[in-house]
Amino acid sequence: MADKKSGIDQALIRELANILNETDLSEIEVEQDALRIRVSRAAPQMIAAPVQAYAPAPAMAAAPAAAPAPAAAVPAAPAARDLSKAVTAPMVGTVYLAPAPGARPFIEVGATVKEGQTLLIIEAMKTMNQIPSPRSGKIVEILTDDGSPVEYGEALVIIE
């Protein structure tokens, strides 16, 4: 049984933990083939639970207080947006829709963009990263607000 547990590279986990401590990061994740390792300062339950624990709680609290409110929210759910054409965040950071505060945004809904054109900026570790359009098309929807935090893989803009 100890041999099966040795399949997990404990040296890698220790190295990631050391990097976490040296850089004052709160979390680090590495993915290689089918192996995915996440090391975090928070307890593992705190990482997985917030997304699932916080979402049902308001719905449960709202259901006994006002049954019509969840019923009104249900019809909105089938009209969920198609994210197959969405441009996703390549990193974790803060999104900025304009090159400078008060400046005109890079894109607007209805605008036509070309492949490679800057859509927005994601600030990560005090570095401004321009996010280019992966394809030409029309901006259908901007799914994030200026100055809001984003996660890796989060949908930012829908281009058709």
Side-chain angles (χ1 to χ4, degrees), residues 27 89-95 122-125 127 129 149-153:
E27 180 178 294
M91 63 191 74
V92 175
T94 303
V95 170
I122 296 181
E123 177 185 8
M125 297 177 63
T127 301
N129 301 283
V150 292
E151 294 290 327
Y152 173 81

Side-chain angles (χ1 to χ4, degrees), residues 1-11 13 35:
M1 191 182 305
D3 292 333
K4 290 182 182 179
K5 288 185 178 178
S6 67
I8 298 174
D9 189 353
Q10 293 181 0
I13 295 173
L35 178 65

Side-chain angles (χ1 to χ4, degrees), residues 82 85-86 111-113 135-141 158-160:
D82 177 22
K85 296 182 180 179
T112 302
V113 294
R135 62 189 168 279
S136 297
K138 180 181 174 184
I139 303 295
V140 176
E141 190 172 0
I158 298 178
I159 300 176
E160 287 188 348

